Amino acid sequence: MTSIAYTPVNIQTSVCCVPSLPSWFGEVTLIAHHLQRQSVLTAMKEQIRFARRRFGHYEVIDFLAVLFGYAVSSERTLESFYQRLEPWASEFMALFGRDRLPARSTLSRFLAALDHAMVEALRTLFLRDLLARPLVKEEQADGLWDRQGNHFHVFDIDGTREAARQRALPQTTDRPVPQRRFDDLCAPGYTGRKRGEVVRTRTTVLQAHTHQWLATLGNAGNGEYRTELRQAVAAIECYCKAHELPEQQGLLRLDGLYGTGAVLTDLAGFLYLTRGKDYRILDRAEVQIRLHLPSDQQFSRPESPLVRTLYDCPDVAIGPSGVRGRVVVATHPAATAKSRIGITRDGIVYELFLTNLPQQGFTAADVVMLYLHRGSFENALADEDQELDPDRWCSHAACGQEVWQIVAQWVWNLRLELGHQLAPEPVRTTEFASALPSEQEQQHPLTCPAQGYGPPTPALSWKAGCFSGQDFLLQPDGTLRCPSGQSLVAHERRREADGSLRVVYAASIRSCRPCPVREQCQWQGRATAKPRQVSVLLHPLLVGPTSLLWRDWSRRSHRRACRRLLDQQHVEIQVEAGFCFCPDLAPAPLSRAQRAHYRLDWSERLARNARGPTASRVTIRLFGIPEDFATSLGLTTA
């Protein structure tokens, strides 16, 4: 050892090599211990089986251990992860009950050889482990409560994509056809804001109140969104069944990609909320009739100057499949630049929101606000990119990349679970929308009501033997059609004492004088000097009196508590020497199966890299662990 003479500080150097422990090793230790204590590692060994053509020395659990460590470490590449792990490879594999660390090239070959059966087995185990342990206690109920006190659980389904850039290669007849590494993984598709020539799309499912991932489903290019949606719905069905939730309490918030009637048939009876993309719905007669009547509500947000005018259509056929649902049409004046969302007609931008939520529990403004709240899902995807970056390329095979993304979401859920044990917090309640004001509290009698209107109701018969208001049909152009085929135009609106809005339609006197059915239509018959008038009443909806309540937990605080618990703490590792056998012992006799070179059974395959009882004992000491947290994990405190 040498020293450098310096007055304030004494610096010493040594030729001995003492590698530093990675800062993430303590978190890997906690997660591996938790998986071992919950018998998840045992389930991986017994339920996830895959036989390659070249057998090798390792099994599935060996490679999953590497991926779990890679996800926790947040290292940018596998190469940097292996470099940091190299001095502690034996101790790392001992956490998972294994002996040797697979080489990086071995891991790459394994991921490239995987099949869909193995991926589905891992996905099933991932969901089963999530459902085995509720994140919170039953008395702390999470969810969404509507204005009538009904309880719902919200699930977000949406896709995210990763673009890959490919090197430009000459393609001439004297050269072979180029073979791309991303051919099986990516395909041409919509890249969005990401630069690249080919993309891979991943559909994710999030429980919006606990912020747990339920599934990840990837495909090349723009993906197979109908197939992935069915798989996502199947995962949500398993979640609801495990928590004994009726399907009527599950609310699926979907991206506009799913906003067609054909796609909505795949939702298996769940409630849904999505942005519509089939603007032919606007041309339907019942929608056009509603657009020519007074609007239901005005909707705006404090962070945006945009004010939307809302029209609620409760029962509309969505698409050619005959699915009927509730359509909320939002309109606003078009700007100079083309609107990115919606369709523009005659200087008005129209947006569609499709749902089957009840009008008695959710007003039109509640529907739009609940859909725009999907922005929190984008924040969860952003956090996932920063912490885990599951879309980075871990394998150039589709199944291998899928396995990596499942493991990454598994680590996310484990951090949430451990964070709730480390820093338990009560569920937080947010008043998503305040209670509706009464009619007396409205500022102006002709403004939109706070709860919206019901379906238009024509006036009843006022004289026996005469035409009633029900004989005058509303038309898509905003007029009424009388029994003789003439049009009545709205010319007056007035608020009634009961809070309803009366729209008065009147015909032209030139149309009424020569009308052959004037005796049945007018009060005084042919002696009447005024044209026929018909009233259409819009009664306010009967909506629940309570406010919308949203109950959830923090998305970040628990994960950060788990990540930062040991980030700056010291970790000690002690390795005791293992037992040695006498080298003079005679070799064990071979069995007939070994002599005939039979294929090993599953237990024999696992035993090849299992850490034996005679291996060196590893003792890991973690500092800074709260006593209650250590007790909940079954760890000993010193």
Side-chain angles (χ1 to χ4, degrees):
M1 180 177 293
T2 59
S3 60
I4 301 176
Y6 186 59
T7 306
V9 180
N10 183 20
I11 302 176
Q12 297 181 348
T13 62
S14 174
V15 297
C16 298
C17 182
V18 182
S20 62
L21 199 66
S23 59
W24 41 262
F25 199 91
E27 187 182 1
V28 173
T29 302
L30 286 180
I31 289 180
H33 171 77
H34 185 60
L35 292 175
Q36 182 69 45
R37 188 166 181 262
Q38 301 297 334
S39 302
V40 178
L41 297 182
T42 303
M44 290 181 181
K45 298 175 185 177
E46 297 176 352
Q47 301 175 18
I48 305 177
R49 295 173 174 177
F50 174 71
R52 294 179 294 165
R53 292 184 178 180
R54 289 188 60 188
F55 174 70
H57 189 79
Y58 305 99
E59 259 304 311
V60 175
I61 184 62
D62 301 303
F63 301 103
L64 291 179
V66 176
L67 294 180
F68 269 99
Y70 182 41
V72 174
S73 68
S74 298
E75 297 287 349
R76 183 58 190 161
T77 61
L78 276 168
E79 181 180 7
S80 60
F81 170 72
Y82 267 82
Q83 289 176 353
R84 293 288 290 129
L85 188 61
E86 182 180 3
W88 313 98
S90 178
E91 292 78 4
F92 172 81
M93 294 303 293
L95 293 172
F96 298 88
R98 309 303 288 171
D99 189 18
R100 291 187 291 178
L101 176 70
R104 188 156 53 96
S105 59
T106 307
L107 172 65
S108 178
R109 290 193 298 270
F110 169 78
L111 294 177
L114 293 178
D115 57 10
H116 291 282
M118 185 269 175
V119 175
E120 292 303 321
L122 181 65
R123 183 179 285 115
T124 301
L125 184 59
F126 161 71
L127 184 59
R128 189 179 304 166
D129 177 61
L130 173 68
L131 303 179
R133 300 180 303 277
L135 189 63
V136 292
K137 298 181 180 179
E138 295 182 358
E139 57 269 16
Q140 295 185 352
D142 61 322
L144 172 67
W145 278 260
D146 69 357
R147 298 188 181 277
Q148 289 187 320
N150 299 318
H151 186 199
F152 303 93
H153 290 266
V154 182
F155 302 89
D156 286 311
I157 302 177
D158 199 1
T160 179
R161 56 181 50 87
E162 184 69 14
R165 303 203 66 181
Q166 294 182 322
R167 187 163 57 95
L169 297 175
Q171 300 184 23
T172 58
T173 57
D174 59 337
R175 290 183 174 88
V177 178
Q179 297 183 2
R180 304 285 190 176
R181 292 184 298 174
F182 286 105
D183 284 346
D184 297 332
L185 193 63
C186 301
Y190 174 71
T191 58
R193 301 177 182 176
K194 299 184 178 181
R195 299 178 61 187
E197 290 75 27
V198 291
V199 294
R200 181 173 178 82
T201 301
R202 179 172 62 99
T203 299
T204 56
V205 185
L206 181 75
Q207 214 279 12
H209 307 283
T210 62
H211 308 289
Q212 292 176 305
W213 297 111
L214 269 65
T216 174
L217 309 158
N219 277 291
N222 292 332
E224 301 175 4
Y225 72 100
R226 291 287 297 274
T227 303
E228 295 163 3
L229 177 61
R230 297 188 191 101
Q231 293 177 289
V233 171
I236 297 175
E237 287 178 338
C238 294
Y239 184 92
C240 293
K241 184 178 180 180
H243 291 81
E244 299 180 354
L245 301 175
E247 291 185 354
Q248 294 76 13
Q249 291 186 5
L251 174 58
L252 311 186
R253 287 193 301 190
L254 307 170
D255 183 65
L257 175 68
Y258 308 98
T260 61
V263 176
L264 298 180
T265 59
D266 299 332
L267 300 185
F270 284 101
L271 297 174
Y272 61 85
L273 174 58
T274 180
R275 186 188 290 274
K277 69 174 184 178
D278 186 5
Y279 294 101
R280 292 176 297 179
I281 297 176
L282 290 172
D283 300 327
R284 295 188 177 276
E286 57 267 39
V287 177
Q288 285 295 318
I289 290 173
R290 187 64 192 88
L291 291 177
H292 285 90
L293 291 172
S295 61
D296 286 277
Q297 290 174 294
Q298 300 282 341
F299 176 78
S300 62
R301 293 189 291 177
E303 64 272 15
S304 173
L306 182 64
V307 178
R308 291 179 172 93
T309 303
L310 306 181
Y311 300 86
D312 198 351
C313 308
D315 187 19
V316 180
I318 304 173
S321 58
V323 177
R324 305 194 69 86
R326 181 181 175 191
V327 178
V328 177
V329 182
T331 66
H332 62 87
T336 54
K338 182 180 178 181
S339 178
R340 296 177 54 192
I341 300 176
I343 185 172
T344 304
R345 295 181 178 179
D346 300 328
I348 301 296
V349 179
Y350 294 86
E351 301 177 57
L352 297 179
F353 298 91
L354 312 180
T355 185
N356 55 356
L357 291 172
Q359 286 185 308
Q360 294 75 18
F362 297 89
T363 65
D366 296 337
V367 170
V368 176
M369 181 167 51
L370 184 59
Y371 177 82
L372 297 180
H373 186 253
R374 278 187 66 255
S376 61
F377 181 49
E378 303 297 333
N379 294 334
L381 289 174
D383 289 347
E384 186 190 42
D385 289 339
Q386 294 177 0
E387 294 182 12
L388 301 169
D389 195 10
D391 291 321
R392 55 183 159 171
W393 308 116
C394 187
S395 173
H396 292 111
C399 292
Q401 184 71 8
E402 195 86 348
V403 167
W404 151 245
Q405 290 171 343
I406 293 173
V407 171
Q409 287 194 347
W410 208 326
V411 170
W412 171 290
N413 291 342
L414 289 173
R415 281 173 171 167
L416 273 177
E417 181 182 353
L418 295 178
H420 275 269
Q421 298 182 24
L422 180 64
E425 295 180 358
V427 63
R428 58 185 184 184
T429 302
T430 304
E431 189 180 53
F432 199 79
S434 58
L436 299 176
S438 61
E439 292 292 333
Q440 292 77 14
E441 297 175 353
Q442 295 196 45
Q443 298 178 356
H444 194 275
L446 294 181
T447 57
C448 300
Q451 68 270 39
Y453 294 112
T457 305
L460 298 177
S461 177
W462 47 273
K463 185 178 181 181
C466 294
F467 293 126
S468 68
Q470 296 178 349
D471 297 317
F472 294 76
L473 302 179
L474 283 166
Q475 301 300 309
D477 59 355
T479 62
L480 289 182
R481 180 70 55 83
C482 73
S484 62
Q486 300 299 323
S487 297
L488 285 76
V489 181
H491 71 96
E492 182 184 0
R493 297 179 184 179
R494 62 174 181 264
R495 182 76 65 178
E496 300 296 322
D498 60 353
S500 60
L501 182 65
R502 182 183 295 271
V503 183
V504 182
Y505 293 80
S508 173
I509 190 62
R510 296 178 181 178
S511 301
C512 291
R513 283 174 180 171
C515 183
V517 293
R518 189 175 181 183
E519 293 290 342
Q520 295 178 269
C521 189
Q522 298 286 57
W523 180 272
Q524 299 293 341
R526 294 187 178 275
T528 303
K530 294 183 179 180
R532 176 63 192 267
Q533 293 185 351
V534 176
S535 298
V536 174
L537 292 174
L538 295 175
H539 297 284
L541 282 173
L542 298 178
V543 183
T546 61
S547 57
L548 285 181
L549 298 180
W550 180 281
R551 293 179 180 174
D552 65 346
W553 285 267
S554 173
R555 183 182 72 254
R556 294 178 176 176
S557 61
H558 296 96
R559 297 196 322 274
R560 289 178 175 178
C562 181
R563 293 185 63 192
R564 296 176 179 176
L565 176 63
L566 299 174
D567 194 23
Q568 299 178 350
Q569 295 294 328
H570 180 62
V571 179
E572 289 183 356
I573 297 181
Q574 297 179 357
V575 181
E576 301 177 2
F579 298 98
C580 297
F581 288 101
C582 179
D584 297 333
L585 293 178
L590 298 176
S591 64
R592 293 190 64 184
Q594 292 173 330
R595 181 66 180 270
H597 297 283
Y598 288 164
R599 298 193 70 184
L600 303 181
D601 58 25
W602 293 109
S603 60
E604 292 173 332
R605 291 166 62 96
L606 282 170
R608 288 173 66 91
N609 196 40
R611 195 170 183 87
T614 60
S616 57
R617 180 182 178 87
V618 178
T619 302
I620 301 178
R621 188 177 183 185
L622 305 177
F623 293 86
I625 303 294
E627 185 174 356
D628 295 341
F629 181 61
T631 303
S632 65
L633 295 180
L635 297 172
T636 58
T637 57

PDB file of all heavy atoms in Angstrom, residues 189-209:
ATOM      1  N   GLY A 189     -45.026   0.408 -39.862  1.00  0.00           N
ATOM      2  CA  GLY A 189     -46.242   0.833 -39.183  1.00  0.00           C
ATOM      3  C   GLY A 189     -46.154   2.290 -38.795  1.00  0.00           C
ATOM      4  O   GLY A 189     -45.223   3.009 -39.174  1.00  0.00           O
ATOM      5  N   TYR A 190     -47.127   2.722 -38.023  1.00  0.00           N
ATOM      6  CA  TYR A 190     -47.191   4.112 -37.590  1.00  0.00           C
ATOM      7  C   TYR A 190     -46.136   4.357 -36.522  1.00  0.00           C
ATOM      8  O   TYR A 190     -46.131   3.713 -35.462  1.00  0.00           O
ATOM      9  CB  TYR A 190     -48.579   4.417 -37.053  1.00  0.00           C
ATOM     10  CG  TYR A 190     -48.724   5.790 -36.446  1.00  0.00           C
ATOM     11  CD1 TYR A 190     -48.710   6.923 -37.248  1.00  0.00           C
ATOM     12  CD2 TYR A 190     -48.875   5.957 -35.081  1.00  0.00           C
ATOM     13  CE1 TYR A 190     -48.838   8.185 -36.702  1.00  0.00           C
ATOM     14  CE2 TYR A 190     -49.015   7.216 -34.522  1.00  0.00           C
ATOM     15  CZ  TYR A 190     -48.987   8.324 -35.341  1.00  0.00           C
ATOM     16  OH  TYR A 190     -49.117   9.574 -34.788  1.00  0.00           O
ATOM     17  N   THR A 191     -45.218   5.264 -36.780  1.00  0.00           N
ATOM     18  CA  THR A 191     -44.126   5.536 -35.841  1.00  0.00           C
ATOM     19  C   THR A 191     -44.441   6.650 -34.869  1.00  0.00           C
ATOM     20  O   THR A 191     -43.753   6.804 -33.861  1.00  0.00           O
ATOM     21  CB  THR A 191     -42.843   5.891 -36.607  1.00  0.00           C
ATOM     22  OG1 THR A 191     -43.092   7.033 -37.435  1.00  0.00           O
ATOM     23  CG2 THR A 191     -42.404   4.730 -37.483  1.00  0.00           C
ATOM     24  N   GLY A 192     -45.464   7.458 -35.140  1.00  0.00           N
ATOM     25  CA  GLY A 192     -45.770   8.556 -34.234  1.00  0.00           C
ATOM     26  C   GLY A 192     -44.655   9.581 -34.229  1.00  0.00           C
ATOM     27  O   GLY A 192     -44.158  10.002 -35.272  1.00  0.00           O
ATOM     28  N   ARG A 193     -44.222   9.961 -33.045  1.00  0.00           N
ATOM     29  CA  ARG A 193     -43.152  10.942 -32.914  1.00  0.00           C
ATOM     30  C   ARG A 193     -41.777  10.300 -32.859  1.00  0.00           C
ATOM     31  O   ARG A 193     -40.773  11.009 -32.724  1.00  0.00           O
ATOM     32  CB  ARG A 193     -43.361  11.776 -31.650  1.00  0.00           C
ATOM     33  CG  ARG A 193     -44.689  12.537 -31.628  1.00  0.00           C
ATOM     34  CD  ARG A 193     -44.867  13.283 -30.317  1.00  0.00           C
ATOM     35  NE  ARG A 193     -46.155  13.967 -30.269  1.00  0.00           N
ATOM     36  CZ  ARG A 193     -46.600  14.635 -29.214  1.00  0.00           C
ATOM     37  NH1 ARG A 193     -45.849  14.707 -28.121  1.00  0.00           N
ATOM     38  NH2 ARG A 193     -47.778  15.229 -29.230  1.00  0.00           N
ATOM     39  N   LYS A 194     -41.720   8.979 -32.941  1.00  0.00           N
ATOM     40  CA  LYS A 194     -40.448   8.284 -32.827  1.00  0.00           C
ATOM     41  C   LYS A 194     -39.870   8.045 -34.219  1.00  0.00           C
ATOM     42  O   LYS A 194     -40.568   7.644 -35.137  1.00  0.00           O
ATOM     43  CB  LYS A 194     -40.644   6.961 -32.086  1.00  0.00           C
ATOM     44  CG  LYS A 194     -41.166   7.146 -30.667  1.00  0.00           C
ATOM     45  CD  LYS A 194     -41.269   5.837 -29.926  1.00  0.00           C
ATOM     46  CE  LYS A 194     -41.739   6.057 -28.491  1.00  0.00           C
ATOM     47  NZ  LYS A 194     -41.841   4.802 -27.728  1.00  0.00           N
ATOM     48  N   ARG A 195     -38.593   8.262 -34.340  1.00  0.00           N
ATOM     49  CA  ARG A 195     -37.935   8.121 -35.617  1.00  0.00           C
ATOM     50  C   ARG A 195     -37.550   6.664 -35.834  1.00  0.00           C
ATOM     51  O   ARG A 195     -37.009   5.999 -34.967  1.00  0.00           O
ATOM     52  CB  ARG A 195     -36.686   9.005 -35.669  1.00  0.00           C
ATOM     53  CG  ARG A 195     -36.983  10.479 -35.495  1.00  0.00           C
ATOM     54  CD  ARG A 195     -35.712  11.285 -35.496  1.00  0.00           C
ATOM     55  NE  ARG A 195     -35.001  11.149 -36.758  1.00  0.00           N
ATOM     56  CZ  ARG A 195     -33.799  11.644 -36.990  1.00  0.00           C
ATOM     57  NH1 ARG A 195     -33.172  12.310 -36.024  1.00  0.00           N
ATOM     58  NH2 ARG A 195     -33.209  11.483 -38.153  1.00  0.00           N
ATOM     59  N   GLY A 196     -37.827   6.172 -37.008  1.00  0.00           N
ATOM     60  CA  GLY A 196     -37.481   4.805 -37.345  1.00  0.00           C
ATOM     61  C   GLY A 196     -38.235   4.349 -38.571  1.00  0.00           C
ATOM     62  O   GLY A 196     -39.188   4.990 -39.030  1.00  0.00           O
ATOM     63  N   GLU A 197     -37.811   3.226 -39.105  1.00  0.00           N
ATOM     64  CA  GLU A 197     -38.441   2.678 -40.295  1.00  0.00           C
ATOM     65  C   GLU A 197     -39.441   1.581 -39.968  1.00  0.00           C
ATOM     66  O   GLU A 197     -40.424   1.393 -40.687  1.00  0.00           O
ATOM     67  CB  GLU A 197     -37.378   2.121 -41.247  1.00  0.00           C
ATOM     68  CG  GLU A 197     -36.514   3.184 -41.900  1.00  0.00           C
ATOM     69  CD  GLU A 197     -35.470   3.779 -40.958  1.00  0.00           C
ATOM     70  OE1 GLU A 197     -35.063   3.065 -40.011  1.00  0.00           O
ATOM     71  OE2 GLU A 197     -35.065   4.935 -41.152  1.00  0.00           O
ATOM     72  N   VAL A 198     -39.189   0.822 -38.916  1.00  0.00           N
ATOM     73  CA  VAL A 198     -40.091  -0.255 -38.509  1.00  0.00           C
ATOM     74  C   VAL A 198     -40.416  -0.079 -37.031  1.00  0.00           C
ATOM     75  O   VAL A 198     -39.660   0.554 -36.278  1.00  0.00           O
ATOM     76  CB  VAL A 198     -39.463  -1.650 -38.761  1.00  0.00           C
ATOM     77  CG1 VAL A 198     -39.348  -1.926 -40.238  1.00  0.00           C
ATOM     78  CG2 VAL A 198     -38.108  -1.766 -38.070  1.00  0.00           C
ATOM     79  N   VAL A 199     -41.557  -0.621 -36.601  1.00  0.00           N
ATOM     80  CA  VAL A 199     -42.008  -0.435 -35.221  1.00  0.00           C
ATOM     81  C   VAL A 199     -42.539  -1.752 -34.671  1.00  0.00           C
ATOM     82  O   VAL A 199     -42.820  -2.706 -35.404  1.00  0.00           O
ATOM     83  CB  VAL A 199     -43.129   0.633 -35.135  1.00  0.00           C
ATOM     84  CG1 VAL A 199     -42.615   1.991 -35.515  1.00  0.00           C
ATOM     85  CG2 VAL A 199     -44.310   0.241 -35.997  1.00  0.00           C
ATOM     86  N   ARG A 200     -42.663  -1.772 -33.371  1.00  0.00           N
ATOM     87  CA  ARG A 200     -43.322  -2.860 -32.650  1.00  0.00           C
ATOM     88  C   ARG A 200     -44.290  -2.218 -31.655  1.00  0.00           C
ATOM     89  O   ARG A 200     -43.905  -1.325 -30.889  1.00  0.00           O
ATOM     90  CB  ARG A 200     -42.328  -3.759 -31.913  1.00  0.00           C
ATOM     91  CG  ARG A 200     -43.002  -4.919 -31.176  1.00  0.00           C
ATOM     92  CD  ARG A 200     -41.978  -5.876 -30.593  1.00  0.00           C
ATOM     93  NE  ARG A 200     -42.624  -6.958 -29.861  1.00  0.00           N
ATOM     94  CZ  ARG A 200     -43.135  -8.045 -30.422  1.00  0.00           C
ATOM     95  NH1 ARG A 200     -43.069  -8.192 -31.739  1.00  0.00           N
ATOM     96  NH2 ARG A 200     -43.697  -8.991 -29.697  1.00  0.00           N
ATOM     97  N   THR A 201     -45.532  -2.672 -31.667  1.00  0.00           N
ATOM     98  CA  THR A 201     -46.577  -2.108 -30.819  1.00  0.00           C
ATOM     99  C   THR A 201     -46.866  -3.049 -29.664  1.00  0.00           C
ATOM    100  O   THR A 201     -46.918  -4.272 -29.839  1.00  0.00           O
ATOM    101  CB  THR A 201     -47.858  -1.872 -31.636  1.00  0.00           C
ATOM    102  OG1 THR A 201     -47.562  -0.979 -32.714  1.00  0.00           O
ATOM    103  CG2 THR A 201     -48.948  -1.254 -30.779  1.00  0.00           C
ATOM    104  N   ARG A 202     -47.055  -2.464 -28.491  1.00  0.00           N
ATOM    105  CA  ARG A 202     -47.314  -3.240 -27.274  1.00  0.00           C
ATOM    106  C   ARG A 202     -48.585  -2.712 -26.620  1.00  0.00           C
ATOM    107  O   ARG A 202     -48.688  -1.536 -26.287  1.00  0.00           O
ATOM    108  CB  ARG A 202     -46.129  -3.120 -26.319  1.00  0.00           C
ATOM    109  CG  ARG A 202     -46.287  -3.862 -25.010  1.00  0.00           C
ATOM    110  CD  ARG A 202     -44.973  -3.840 -24.241  1.00  0.00           C
ATOM    111  NE  ARG A 202     -44.563  -2.495 -23.912  1.00  0.00           N
ATOM    112  CZ  ARG A 202     -44.748  -1.915 -22.731  1.00  0.00           C
ATOM    113  NH1 ARG A 202     -45.341  -2.571 -21.756  1.00  0.00           N
ATOM    114  NH2 ARG A 202     -44.330  -0.688 -22.501  1.00  0.00           N
ATOM    115  N   THR A 203     -49.559  -3.584 -26.437  1.00  0.00           N
ATOM    116  CA  THR A 203     -50.804  -3.230 -25.747  1.00  0.00           C
ATOM    117  C   THR A 203     -50.653  -3.542 -24.265  1.00  0.00           C
ATOM    118  O   THR A 203     -50.253  -4.654 -23.894  1.00  0.00           O
ATOM    119  CB  THR A 203     -51.983  -4.015 -26.334  1.00  0.00           C
ATOM    120  OG1 THR A 203     -52.122  -3.676 -27.716  1.00  0.00           O
ATOM    121  CG2 THR A 203     -53.267  -3.682 -25.603  1.00  0.00           C
ATOM    122  N   THR A 204     -50.986  -2.590 -23.420  1.00  0.00           N
ATOM    123  CA  THR A 204     -50.837  -2.748 -21.976  1.00  0.00           C
ATOM    124  C   THR A 204     -52.186  -2.576 -21.296  1.00  0.00           C
ATOM    125  O   THR A 204     -53.065  -1.872 -21.793  1.00  0.00           O
ATOM    126  CB  THR A 204     -49.844  -1.716 -21.415  1.00  0.00           C
ATOM    127  OG1 THR A 204     -50.292  -0.396 -21.772  1.00  0.00           O
ATOM    128  CG2 THR A 204     -48.455  -1.935 -21.979  1.00  0.00           C
ATOM    129  N   VAL A 205     -52.335  -3.221 -20.142  1.00  0.00           N
ATOM    130  CA  VAL A 205     -53.564  -3.162 -19.348  1.00  0.00           C
ATOM    131  C   VAL A 205     -53.183  -2.711 -17.946  1.00  0.00           C
ATOM    132  O   VAL A 205     -52.328  -3.333 -17.298  1.00  0.00           O
ATOM    133  CB  VAL A 205     -54.274  -4.528 -19.295  1.00  0.00           C
ATOM    134  CG1 VAL A 205     -55.615  -4.403 -18.574  1.00  0.00           C
ATOM    135  CG2 VAL A 205     -54.467  -5.090 -20.696  1.00  0.00           C
ATOM    136  N   LEU A 206     -53.806  -1.642 -17.469  1.00  0.00           N
ATOM    137  CA  LEU A 206     -53.480  -1.053 -16.166  1.00  0.00           C
ATOM    138  C   LEU A 206     -54.729  -0.952 -15.316  1.00  0.00           C
ATOM    139  O   LEU A 206     -55.795  -0.530 -15.799  1.00  0.00           O
ATOM    140  CB  LEU A 206     -52.869   0.336 -16.361  1.00  0.00           C
ATOM    141  CG  LEU A 206     -52.449   1.086 -15.088  1.00  0.00           C
ATOM    142  CD1 LEU A 206     -51.173   0.491 -14.523  1.00  0.00           C
ATOM    143  CD2 LEU A 206     -52.255   2.571 -15.366  1.00  0.00           C
ATOM    144  N   GLN A 207     -54.616  -1.353 -14.045  1.00  0.00           N
ATOM    145  CA  GLN A 207     -55.674  -1.093 -13.075  1.00  0.00           C
ATOM    146  C   GLN A 207     -55.500   0.356 -12.618  1.00  0.00           C
ATOM    147  O   GLN A 207     -54.497   0.719 -12.019  1.00  0.00           O
ATOM    148  CB  GLN A 207     -55.554  -2.046 -11.882  1.00  0.00           C
ATOM    149  CG  GLN A 207     -56.882  -2.476 -11.274  1.00  0.00           C
ATOM    150  CD  GLN A 207     -57.480  -1.448 -10.326  1.00  0.00           C
ATOM    151  OE1 GLN A 207     -57.026  -0.324 -10.276  1.00  0.00           O
ATOM    152  NE2 GLN A 207     -58.481  -1.842  -9.588  1.00  0.00           N
ATOM    153  N   ALA A 208     -56.477   1.211 -12.922  1.00  0.00           N
ATOM    154  CA  ALA A 208     -56.296   2.650 -12.794  1.00  0.00           C
ATOM    155  C   ALA A 208     -56.237   3.126 -11.353  1.00  0.00           C
ATOM    156  O   ALA A 208     -55.821   4.264 -11.103  1.00  0.00           O
ATOM    157  CB  ALA A 208     -57.416   3.390 -13.529  1.00  0.00           C
ATOM    158  N   HIS A 209     -56.654   2.324 -10.381  1.00  0.00           N
ATOM    159  CA  HIS A 209     -56.693   2.768  -8.981  1.00  0.00           C
ATOM    160  C   HIS A 209     -55.489   2.273  -8.182  1.00  0.00           C
ATOM    161  O   HIS A 209     -54.988   2.987  -7.321  1.00  0.00           O
ATOM    162  CB  HIS A 209     -57.985   2.290  -8.318  1.00  0.00           C
ATOM    163  CG  HIS A 209     -59.217   2.681  -9.080  1.00  0.00           C
ATOM    164  ND1 HIS A 209     -59.738   3.953  -9.061  1.00  0.00           N
ATOM    165  CD2 HIS A 209     -60.031   1.962  -9.897  1.00  0.00           C
ATOM    166  CE1 HIS A 209     -60.811   4.005  -9.824  1.00  0.00           C
ATOM    167  NE2 HIS A 209     -61.013   2.814 -10.345  1.00  0.00           N
TER     168      HIS A 209
END
